[in-house]
Amino acid sequence: MFTVNDKEDQKEIKAIGFTGSRHGMSISQKAYVRRIIKHYIQQGYNRLHLGCCYGADTEVFEMFKDKISVVAHPCNIVKWTNNDIVDNADFVYPVVSPLARNRRIVQLSLVLIATPHVSEESLGTQYTIQYAMNHNVFFHIAL
């Protein structure tokens, strides 16, 4: 395991990754995400990695910014980036392409929570789910 900063030295990092649509989550997806992330926090998970986009990332950030350490992963598409997440996260990784960002979120997480948009192809979200599958990262999909 690794630590994000010196204050947390010797503390085990148990990280949740999140991926979702720029279109946001449905009511049922929000309820599921709220319930499953609370469960993981109760189990000692202490990091939430997310991609800083408007939509689902923003919704999850607003739900959990005061409950778990947020690690932001901005992408290089500025119009998608919610700077409120970047400015208020506990840690911010360097800007990279969206798919590189999604791979990094999976690589740094023990579990991935995904909320694809059901009425269209969510290519980034689908890619991230497939990447997690290929790298044996446990995942939840909320449809």
Side-chain angles (χ1 to χ4, degrees), residues 114-127:
T115 60
H117 194 263
V118 294
S119 67
E120 69 169 38
E121 286 189 31
S122 296
L123 297 178
T125 303
Q126 298 299 337
Y127 172 86

Side-chain angles (χ1 to χ4, degrees), residues 35-111:
R35 187 172 60 251
I36 198 69
I37 292 178
K38 281 182 181 180
H39 166 78
Y40 279 111
I41 291 170
Q42 291 169 349
Q43 298 302 311
Y45 282 70
N46 50 16
R47 294 285 182 278
L48 176 61
H49 292 268
L50 49 84
C52 305
C53 286
Y54 290 102
D57 289 339
T58 298
E59 292 167 337
V60 168
F61 177 73
E62 289 301 322
M63 281 187 235
F64 290 100
K65 63 185 176 186
D66 297 325
K67 296 172 179 59
I68 191 169
S69 180
V70 175
V71 181
H73 297 263
C75 77
N76 60 0
I77 302 176
V78 176
K79 68 180 181 180
W80 293 355
T81 302
N82 181 341
N83 287 315
D84 186 47
I85 297 173
V86 174
D87 294 342
N88 293 292
D90 297 293
F91 186 83
V92 180
Y93 273 87
V95 172
V96 293
S97 72
L99 296 181
R101 180 249 344 253
N102 294 351
R103 288 190 299 270
R104 186 172 59 201
I105 289 170
V106 171
Q107 291 163 0
L108 294 171
S109 301
L110 296 176
V111 62

